[in-house]
Coordinates of all heavy atoms in Angstrom, one line a residue:
M97 N 104.6 86.1 95.7 CA 103.7 86.6 94.7 C 102.4 87.0 95.3 O 101.8 86.4 96.3 CB 103.5 85.5 93.6 CG 104.8 85.0 93.0 SD 105.6 86.3 92.0 CE 104.5 86.4 90.6
T98 N 101.7 87.8 94.6 CA 100.4 88.3 95.1 C 99.3 87.7 94.4 O 98.1 88.0 94.9 CB 100.3 89.9 94.8 OG1 100.4 90.2 93.5 CG2 101.3 90.7 95.6
L99 N 99.5 86.9 93.5 CA 98.3 86.2 92.7 C 97.4 85.4 93.6 O 96.3 85.7 93.5 CB 98.9 85.3 91.7 CG 99.8 85.9 90.6 CD1 100.2 85.0 89.4 CD2 99.1 87.2 90.0
P100 N 97.9 84.5 94.6 CA 96.9 83.8 95.4 C 96.2 84.8 96.3 O 95.0 84.5 96.7 CB 97.9 82.9 96.1 CG 99.2 82.9 95.4 CD 99.2 84.2 94.7
L101 N 96.8 85.9 96.7 CA 96.1 86.9 97.6 C 95.0 87.6 96.9 O 94.1 88.1 97.5 CB 97.2 88.0 98.1 CG 98.3 87.4 99.0 CD1 99.3 88.5 99.4 CD2 97.6 86.8 100.4
S102 N 95.1 87.8 95.6 CA 94.2 88.6 94.8 C 92.9 87.8 94.4 O 92.0 88.5 93.8 CB 94.9 89.2 93.6 OG 95.1 88.2 92.6
V103 N 92.7 86.6 94.7 CA 91.7 85.8 94.2 C 90.4 86.4 94.9 O 90.3 86.5 96.1 CB 91.8 84.2 94.5 CG1 90.6 83.5 94.2 CG2 93.0 83.7 93.8
G104 N 89.4 86.8 94.0 CA 88.2 87.4 94.5 C 88.3 88.8 94.9 O 87.3 89.5 95.4
T105 N 89.5 89.5 94.6 CA 89.7 90.9 94.9 C 90.9 91.4 94.0 O 91.2 90.8 93.1 CB 90.0 90.9 96.4 OG1 90.0 92.4 96.7 CG2 91.4 90.4 96.8
V106 N 91.3 92.6 94.4 CA 92.5 93.1 93.7 C 93.6 93.4 94.7 O 93.4 93.7 95.9 CB 92.1 94.5 93.0 CG1 91.6 95.5 94.0 CG2 93.2 95.1 92.2
C107 N 94.8 93.2 94.2 CA 95.9 93.4 95.1 C 96.9 94.4 94.4 O 97.3 94.1 93.2 CB 96.5 92.1 95.4 SG 98.0 92.1 96.5
H108 N 97.4 95.3 95.1 CA 98.6 96.2 94.6 C 99.8 96.1 95.5 O 99.6 96.5 96.7 CB 98.0 97.7 94.5 CG 98.9 98.5 93.7 ND1 100.3 98.6 93.8 CD2 98.5 99.2 92.6 CE1 100.8 99.5 92.9 NE2 99.7 99.8 92.1
S109 N 100.7 95.4 95.0 CA 101.9 95.2 95.8 C 103.0 96.2 95.4 O 103.0 96.9 94.3 CB 102.6 93.8 95.6 OG 102.9 93.7 94.2
M110 N 103.9 96.4 96.5 CA 105.0 97.4 96.2 C 106.2 97.0 96.9 O 106.2 96.5 98.1 CB 104.6 98.8 96.8 CG 105.6 99.9 96.4 SD 105.4 101.4 97.3 CE 106.2 101.1 98.8
G111 N 107.4 97.2 96.2 CA 108.7 97.0 96.7 C 109.4 98.3 96.7 O 109.4 99.0 95.8
A112 N 110.0 98.7 97.9 CA 110.8 100.0 97.9 C 112.2 99.7 97.7 O 112.8 99.0 98.4 CB 110.5 100.7 99.2
N113 N 112.8 100.2 96.7 CA 114.1 100.0 96.2 C 114.8 101.4 96.2 O 114.6 102.2 95.5 CB 114.3 99.3 94.9 CG 115.6 99.0 94.4 OD1 116.6 99.6 94.8 ND2 115.8 98.0 93.6
P114 N 115.8 101.6 97.2 CA 116.4 102.9 97.3 C 117.1 103.2 96.0 O 117.4 104.5 95.7 CB 117.3 102.8 98.5 CG 117.3 101.3 99.0 CD 116.3 100.6 98.2
K115 N 117.7 102.3 95.2 CA 118.4 102.6 94.0 C 117.6 103.0 92.8 O 117.9 103.9 92.1 CB 119.3 101.3 93.6 CG 120.3 101.7 92.5 CD 121.2 100.5 92.4 CE 122.2 100.8 91.2 NZ 123.1 99.6 91.0
S116 N 116.5 102.1 92.6 CA 115.8 102.4 91.4 C 114.4 103.1 91.7 O 113.5 103.3 90.7 CB 115.5 101.0 90.6 OG 114.9 100.2 91.4
G117 N 114.0 103.1 92.9 CA 112.7 103.7 93.3 C 111.6 102.5 93.6 O 111.9 101.4 93.6
N118 N 110.4 103.0 93.8 CA 109.4 102.1 94.1 C 108.9 101.2 92.9 O 108.7 101.9 91.8 CB 108.2 102.8 94.8 CG 108.5 103.5 96.0 OD1 109.3 102.9 96.8 ND2 108.0 104.7 96.2
Q119 N 108.7 99.9 93.1 CA 108.2 99.1 92.0 C 107.0 98.4 92.5 O 106.9 98.0 93.5 CB 109.2 98.1 91.6 CG 110.6 98.7 91.2 CD 110.6 99.5 90.0 OE1 110.0 99.0 88.9 NE2 111.2 100.6 90.0
G120 N 106.0 98.5 91.5 CA 104.6 97.9 92.0 C 104.1 96.9 90.9 O 104.6 96.8 89.8
A121 N 103.2 96.1 91.4 CA 102.4 95.2 90.5 C 101.0 95.1 90.9 O 100.7 95.2 92.2 CB 103.1 93.8 90.6
V122 N 100.1 94.9 90.0 CA 98.7 94.9 90.3 C 98.2 93.4 89.8 O 98.4 93.1 88.5 CB 97.9 96.0 89.5 CG1 96.4 95.9 89.8 CG2 98.5 97.3 89.9
S123 N 97.5 92.8 90.6 CA 96.8 91.5 90.3 C 95.4 91.6 90.7 O 95.0 92.1 91.7 CB 97.6 90.3 90.9 OG 97.7 90.5 92.3
R124 N 94.5 90.9 89.9 CA 93.0 90.9 90.1 C 92.6 89.4 89.8 O 92.9 88.9 88.8 CB 92.4 91.9 89.2 CG 90.8 92.0 89.4 CD 90.2 92.9 88.5 NE 90.9 94.2 88.4 CZ 90.7 95.3 89.1 NH1 89.8 95.3 90.0 NH2 91.4 96.3 89.0
D125 N 91.8 89.0 90.8 CA 91.3 87.6 90.6 C 92.4 86.5 90.3 O 92.1 85.6 89.4 CB 90.2 87.5 89.7 CG 88.9 88.1 90.3 OD1 88.7 88.0 91.5 OD2 88.2 88.8 89.6
G126 N 93.5 86.6 90.8 CA 94.6 85.7 90.5 C 95.3 85.9 89.2 O 96.2 85.0 88.8
V127 N 95.1 86.9 88.5 CA 95.8 87.3 87.3 C 96.5 88.6 87.4 O 96.1 89.5 87.9 CB 94.7 87.4 86.1 CG1 95.4 87.7 84.9 CG2 93.9 86.1 86.1
L128 N 97.9 88.5 87.0 CA 98.6 89.7 86.9 C 98.1 90.7 85.9 O 98.1 90.3 84.7 CB 100.1 89.3 86.7 CG 101.1 90.4 86.7 CD1 101.2 91.1 88.2 CD2 102.5 90.1 86.3
E129 N 97.9 91.9 86.2 CA 97.3 93.0 85.3 C 98.3 93.9 84.8 O 98.3 94.3 83.8 CB 96.1 93.7 85.9 CG 94.8 92.9 86.0 CD 93.6 93.8 86.3 OE1 93.8 94.9 86.7 OE2 92.5 93.3 86.2
D130 N 99.3 94.3 85.8 CA 100.2 95.2 85.4 C 101.4 95.0 86.4 O 101.3 94.6 87.5 CB 99.6 96.7 85.7 CG 100.5 97.8 85.0 OD1 101.5 97.4 84.3 OD2 100.1 98.8 85.2
S131 N 102.6 95.1 85.8 CA 103.8 95.0 86.7 C 104.9 96.1 86.2 O 104.7 96.9 85.3 CB 104.4 93.8 86.3 OG 104.9 93.5 85.0
D132 N 105.9 96.2 87.0 CA 106.9 97.1 87.0 C 106.4 98.6 86.9 O 106.8 99.5 86.1 CB 107.7 97.0 85.7 CG 109.0 97.6 85.8 OD1 109.6 97.9 86.8 OD2 109.6 98.0 84.6
T133 N 105.3 98.8 87.8 CA 104.7 100.1 87.8 C 105.6 101.0 88.8 O 106.5 100.5 89.6 CB 103.3 100.1 88.4 OG1 103.3 99.6 89.8 CG2 102.4 99.2 87.5
H134 N 105.4 102.2 88.8 CA 106.1 103.2 89.7 C 105.1 103.9 90.6 O 104.7 105.1 90.2 CB 106.9 104.1 88.8 CG 107.9 105.0 89.5 ND1 108.9 104.4 90.3 CD2 108.0 106.3 89.7 CE1 109.6 105.5 90.9 NE2 109.0 106.6 90.4
P135 N 104.6 103.2 91.7 CA 103.5 103.9 92.5 C 103.9 105.2 93.0 O 104.9 105.4 93.6 CB 103.2 102.9 93.6 CG 104.0 101.6 93.2 CD 105.0 102.0 92.1
G136 N 103.0 106.3 92.9 CA 103.3 107.5 93.4 C 104.4 108.3 92.7 O 104.9 109.3 93.2
G137 N 104.8 107.8 91.6 CA 106.0 108.4 90.9 C 105.7 109.7 90.0 O 106.6 110.2 89.5
G138 N 104.5 109.9 89.7 CA 104.1 111.0 89.1 C 104.1 110.9 87.6 O 104.2 111.8 86.8
D139 N 104.0 109.6 87.1 CA 104.1 109.3 85.7 C 102.7 109.8 85.1 O 101.7 109.4 85.5 CB 104.2 107.8 85.4 CG 104.1 107.4 84.0 OD1 104.4 108.4 83.1 OD2 103.7 106.3 83.7
A140 N 102.8 110.6 84.0 CA 101.6 111.1 83.3 C 101.7 110.8 81.8 O 101.3 111.7 81.1 CB 101.3 112.5 83.6
G141 N 102.2 109.7 81.5 CA 102.5 109.4 80.1 C 101.2 109.2 79.3 O 100.1 108.9 79.9
G142 N 101.2 109.1 78.0 CA 100.1 108.9 77.2 C 99.4 107.6 77.4 O 98.3 107.5 76.8
H143 N 100.1 106.7 78.0 CA 99.3 105.3 78.1 C 98.4 105.3 79.2 O 97.7 104.2 79.4 CB 100.4 104.2 78.3 CG 101.3 104.4 79.5 ND1 102.3 105.5 79.6 CD2 101.2 103.8 80.7 CE1 102.7 105.4 80.8 NE2 102.2 104.4 81.6
L144 N 98.3 106.3 80.0 CA 97.4 106.3 81.2 C 96.0 106.9 80.9 O 95.9 107.8 80.0 CB 98.0 107.1 82.4 CG 99.3 106.6 82.8 CD1 99.8 107.5 84.0 CD2 99.2 105.2 83.4
T145 N 95.0 106.4 81.5 CA 93.6 107.0 81.4 C 93.6 108.4 82.2 O 94.5 108.7 83.1 CB 92.6 106.1 81.9 OG1 92.8 106.0 83.4 CG2 92.6 104.7 81.3
G146 N 92.6 109.2 82.0 CA 92.4 110.4 82.7 C 92.4 110.1 84.3 O 93.1 110.8 85.0
E147 N 91.6 109.0 84.7 CA 91.5 108.7 86.1 C 92.9 108.3 86.6 O 93.3 108.8 87.7 CB 90.5 107.5 86.2 CG 90.4 107.1 87.7 CD 89.3 106.1 87.8 OE1 88.2 106.2 87.1 OE2 89.5 105.2 88.6
E148 N 93.7 107.6 85.9 CA 95.1 107.2 86.3 C 96.0 108.5 86.4 O 96.8 108.5 87.3 CB 95.7 106.2 85.5 CG 95.0 104.9 85.5 CD 95.4 104.0 84.3 OE1 95.7 104.3 83.2 OE2 95.4 102.7 84.6
I149 N 95.9 109.4 85.5 CA 96.8 110.5 85.6 C 96.3 111.4 86.9 O 97.3 111.9 87.5 CB 96.5 111.4 84.3 CG1 97.2 110.7 83.1 CG2 97.1 112.8 84.5 CD1 97.0 111.3 81.7
L150 N 95.0 111.5 87.2 CA 94.7 112.2 88.3 C 95.2 111.6 89.5 O 95.7 112.2 90.5 CB 93.1 112.3 88.4 CG 92.5 113.0 89.6 CD1 93.0 114.4 89.7 CD2 91.0 112.9 89.6
A151 N 95.1 110.2 89.6 CA 95.6 109.5 90.8 C 97.2 109.8 90.9 O 97.6 109.9 92.1 CB 95.4 108.1 90.7
E152 N 97.9 109.7 89.7 CA 99.3 110.0 89.9 C 99.6 111.3 90.4 O 100.5 111.6 91.1 CB 99.9 109.8 88.4 CG 100.1 108.5 87.9 CD 101.2 107.7 88.4 OE1 102.1 108.2 89.2 OE2 101.1 106.4 88.3
Y153 N 98.8 112.3 90.0 CA 99.0 113.8 90.5 C 98.7 113.8 91.9 O 99.4 114.3 92.8 CB 98.1 114.7 89.7 CG 98.2 116.0 90.2 CD1 99.3 116.9 90.0 CD2 97.2 116.6 91.0 CE1 99.4 118.2 90.5 CE2 97.2 117.9 91.5 CZ 98.3 118.6 91.3 OH 98.4 119.8 91.8
L154 N 97.4 113.2 92.4 CA 97.1 113.3 93.7 C 98.0 112.7 94.7 O 98.2 113.0 95.9 CB 95.7 112.7 94.0 CG 94.6 113.5 93.2 CD1 93.3 112.8 93.3 CD2 94.5 115.0 93.8
Y155 N 98.6 111.5 94.3 CA 99.3 110.7 95.2 C 100.9 110.8 94.9 O 101.7 110.0 95.4 CB 99.0 109.2 95.2 CG 97.5 109.1 95.6 CD1 96.5 108.8 94.8 CD2 97.2 109.2 97.0 CE1 95.2 108.7 95.2 CE2 95.9 109.0 97.5 CZ 94.9 108.8 96.6 OH 93.6 108.7 97.0
Q156 N 101.3 111.9 94.2 CA 102.7 112.0 93.9 C 103.6 112.0 95.1 O 103.2 112.8 96.0 CB 102.9 113.3 93.0 CG 104.3 113.4 92.5 CD 104.5 114.4 91.5 OE1 103.5 115.2 91.2 NE2 105.6 114.5 90.9
G157 N 104.5 111.2 95.2 CA 105.5 111.1 96.3 C 104.9 110.3 97.5 O 105.4 110.2 98.6
Q158 N 103.6 109.8 97.3 CA 103.0 109.0 98.4 C 102.7 107.6 98.0 O 101.5 107.3 97.7 CB 101.7 109.7 98.8 CG 101.9 111.2 99.4 CD 102.8 111.3 100.4 OE1 102.6 110.4 101.4 NE2 103.6 112.2 100.6
A159 N 103.7 106.8 97.8 CA 103.6 105.4 97.1 C 102.6 104.6 97.9 O 101.8 103.8 97.2 CB 104.9 104.8 97.0
V160 N 102.6 104.4 99.2 CA 101.8 103.6 99.9 C 100.3 104.1 99.8 O 99.4 103.2 99.5 CB 102.2 103.5 101.5 CG1 101.2 102.6 102.3 CG2 103.5 102.8 101.5
A161 N 100.1 105.4 99.8 CA 98.7 105.8 99.7 C 98.2 105.6 98.2 O 97.0 105.2 98.0 CB 98.7 107.4 100.0
Y162 N 99.1 105.7 97.2 CA 98.8 105.4 95.9 C 98.4 103.9 95.7 O 97.3 103.6 95.1 CB 100.0 105.7 95.0 CG 99.6 105.3 93.5 CD1 99.2 106.3 92.6 CD2 99.9 104.1 93.0 CE1 98.8 106.1 91.4 CE2 99.7 103.8 91.7 CZ 99.1 104.8 90.9 OH 98.9 104.6 89.5
C163 N 99.1 103.0 96.4 CA 98.8 101.7 96.3 C 97.4 101.3 96.9 O 96.6 100.5 96.4 CB 100.0 100.8 97.0 SG 101.4 100.7 96.0
C164 N 97.2 101.9 98.0 CA 95.8 101.7 98.7 C 94.7 102.2 97.8 O 93.7 101.5 97.6 CB 95.8 102.5 100.0 SG 96.8 101.7 101.3
A165 N 94.9 103.4 97.2 CA 93.8 104.0 96.2 C 93.7 103.0 95.1 O 92.6 102.7 94.6 CB 94.2 105.4 95.9
A166 N 94.7 102.4 94.5 CA 94.6 101.6 93.3 C 94.0 100.3 93.6 O 93.3 99.8 92.7 CB 96.1 101.5 92.7
A167 N 94.1 99.9 94.8 CA 93.5 98.7 95.2 C 92.0 98.9 95.7 O 91.3 97.9 96.0 CB 94.2 97.9 96.3
G168 N 91.6 100.1 95.8 CA 90.1 100.5 96.2 C 90.1 100.6 97.7 O 89.0 100.5 98.2
L169 N 91.1 100.6 98.4 CA 91.1 100.7 99.9 C 90.9 102.2 100.3 O 91.5 103.1 99.7 CB 92.3 100.2 100.6 CG 92.7 98.7 100.3 CD1 94.0 98.4 100.8 CD2 91.6 97.9 100.9
R170 N 90.0 102.4 101.2 CA 89.7 103.7 101.7 C 89.9 103.8 103.2 O 88.9 103.8 103.9 CB 88.4 104.2 101.2 CG 88.1 104.2 99.7 CD 88.9 105.2 99.1 NE 88.7 105.3 97.6 CZ 89.3 104.8 96.7 NH1 90.4 104.0 97.0 NH2 89.0 104.8 95.4
P171 N 91.2 103.8 103.7 CA 91.3 103.8 105.3 C 90.7 105.0 105.8 O 90.8 106.1 105.2 CB 92.9 103.8 105.4 CG 93.4 103.5 103.9 CD 92.5 103.7 103.0
P172 N 90.1 104.9 107.0 CA 89.4 106.1 107.6 C 90.4 107.1 108.1 O 90.0 108.2 108.3 CB 88.7 105.4 108.9 CG 89.5 104.2 109.1 CD 90.0 103.7 107.8
D173 N 91.7 106.7 108.3 CA 92.6 107.8 108.7 C 94.0 107.2 108.2 O 94.1 106.2 107.6 CB 92.7 108.0 110.2 CG 92.9 106.8 111.0 OD1 93.8 105.9 110.6 OD2 92.1 106.5 112.0
A174 N 95.1 108.0 108.5 CA 96.5 107.7 108.0 C 97.2 106.6 108.8 O 98.3 106.2 108.4 CB 97.2 109.0 108.0
R175 N 96.6 106.2 109.9 CA 97.2 105.1 110.7 C 97.7 104.0 110.0 O 98.7 103.4 110.3 CB 96.4 104.9 111.9 CG 97.1 104.2 113.1 CD 96.2 104.1 114.3 NE 95.1 103.4 114.1 CZ 95.0 102.0 114.3 NH1 96.1 101.4 114.6 NH2 93.9 101.5 114.0
A176 N 96.9 103.5 109.0 CA 97.2 102.3 108.2 C 98.5 102.5 107.4 O 99.2 101.5 107.1 CB 96.1 101.9 107.4
V177 N 98.8 103.7 107.2 CA 100.1 104.1 106.3 C 101.2 104.4 107.3 O 102.4 104.0 107.0 CB 99.7 105.1 105.3 CG1 101.0 105.5 104.6 CG2 98.7 104.7 104.4
V178 N 101.0 105.3 108.2 CA 102.0 105.7 109.1 C 102.2 105.0 110.4 O 103.3 105.2 111.1 CB 101.9 107.2 109.4 CG1 102.0 108.1 108.2 CG2 100.7 107.5 110.1
G179 N 101.4 104.0 110.7 CA 101.5 103.2 111.8 C 101.0 103.8 113.1 O 100.4 104.8 113.1
P180 N 101.2 103.1 114.2 CA 101.8 101.8 114.3 C 100.9 100.6 113.9 O 99.7 100.8 113.9 CB 102.1 101.8 115.8 CG 100.9 102.5 116.5 CD 100.7 103.7 115.5
P181 N 101.4 99.5 113.6 CA 100.5 98.4 113.2 C 99.8 97.9 114.3 O 100.1 97.9 115.5 CB 101.6 97.3 112.7 CG 102.8 97.7 113.4 CD 102.9 99.2 113.7
D182 N 98.5 97.4 114.0 CA 97.6 96.7 115.0 C 98.2 95.3 115.3 O 98.1 94.9 116.5 CB 96.3 96.6 114.5 CG 95.6 98.0 114.4 OD1 96.0 98.9 115.1 OD2 94.7 98.1 113.5
L183 N 98.7 94.7 114.3 CA 99.0 93.3 114.5 C 100.1 92.9 113.4 O 100.1 93.4 112.3 CB 97.8 92.4 114.2 CG 97.8 90.9 114.2 CD1 98.1 90.4 115.7 CD2 96.5 90.4 113.7
W184 N 101.0 92.1 113.9 CA 102.0 91.5 112.9 C 101.6 90.0 112.7 O 101.4 89.3 113.6 CB 103.4 91.5 113.4 CG 104.0 93.0 113.4 CD1 104.0 93.8 114.5 CD2 104.6 93.6 112.3 NE1 104.6 95.0 114.0 CE2 105.0 94.8 112.8 CE3 104.9 93.2 111.0 CZ2 105.7 95.7 111.9 CZ3 105.5 94.1 110.2 CH2 105.9 95.4 110.6
L185 N 101.6 89.6 111.4 CA 101.4 88.2 111.1 C 102.5 87.5 110.4 O 103.1 88.2 109.5 CB 100.1 88.1 110.2 CG 98.7 88.6 110.9 CD1 97.7 88.6 109.7 CD2 98.4 87.7 112.0
R186 N 102.8 86.2 110.8 CA 103.9 85.6 110.0 C 103.2 84.7 109.0 O 102.2 83.9 109.2 CB 104.6 84.7 110.9 CG 105.8 83.9 110.3 CD 106.7 83.2 111.2 NE 107.4 84.2 112.0 CZ 108.5 84.8 111.7 NH1 109.1 84.7 110.5 NH2 109.2 85.5 112.6
L187 N 103.5 84.9 107.6 CA 103.0 84.0 106.6 C 103.5 82.7 106.7 O 104.7 82.5 107.1 CB 103.4 84.6 105.2 CG 102.7 86.1 105.0 CD1 103.2 86.6 103.6 CD2 101.2 86.0 104.9
P188 N 102.7 81.7 106.3 CA 103.2 80.4 106.2 C 104.4 80.3 105.2 O 104.5 81.1 104.3 CB 102.0 79.5 105.6 CG 100.8 80.4 105.9 CD 101.3 81.9 105.9
E189 N 105.2 79.3 105.5 CA 106.5 79.2 104.6 C 106.2 79.2 103.3 O 106.9 79.7 102.4 CB 107.2 77.8 105.0 CG 108.6 77.7 104.4 CD 109.5 78.8 104.9 OE1 109.5 79.2 106.0 OE2 110.3 79.2 104.0
R190 N 105.1 78.6 102.8 CA 104.8 78.4 101.3 C 104.5 79.7 100.7 O 104.6 79.9 99.4 CB 103.6 77.5 101.1 CG 102.3 77.8 101.7 CD 101.2 77.0 101.4 NE 100.0 77.3 102.1 CZ 99.2 78.4 101.7 NH1 99.5 79.0 100.7 NH2 98.2 78.6 102.4
D191 N 104.1 80.8 101.5 CA 103.8 82.1 101.0 C 104.8 83.1 101.0 O 104.7 84.3 100.7 CB 102.6 82.6 101.8 CG 101.3 81.8 101.5 OD1 101.2 81.1 100.5 OD2 100.3 81.8 102.2
R192 N 106.0 82.7 101.4 CA 107.1 83.6 101.5 C 107.9 83.8 100.3 O 107.9 82.9 99.4 CB 108.0 83.3 102.7 CG 107.4 83.6 104.1 CD 108.4 83.4 105.1 NE 107.7 82.9 106.3 CZ 108.3 82.3 107.3 NH1 109.6 82.3 107.3 NH2 107.7 81.9 108.3

């Protein structure tokens, strides 16, 4: 769960499912704000704000970049998305 990770900040998580597509969740300050989202899926339904519709358009097909933008991250280049990683960390057993 991302709730403990989001305390004092915002967290946008994503699971890539080849059958049903990308699924996301947004938490802020330890509270789940939105779930079952479709990051980068191009949804422009009437429930979205103008800013959200623009983000859906700009990041269509770019799920990881969409999640970064939704969390307010502004990486200086694409390396954070396309790799290679700087470091791998193993989470404590209680956080898995």
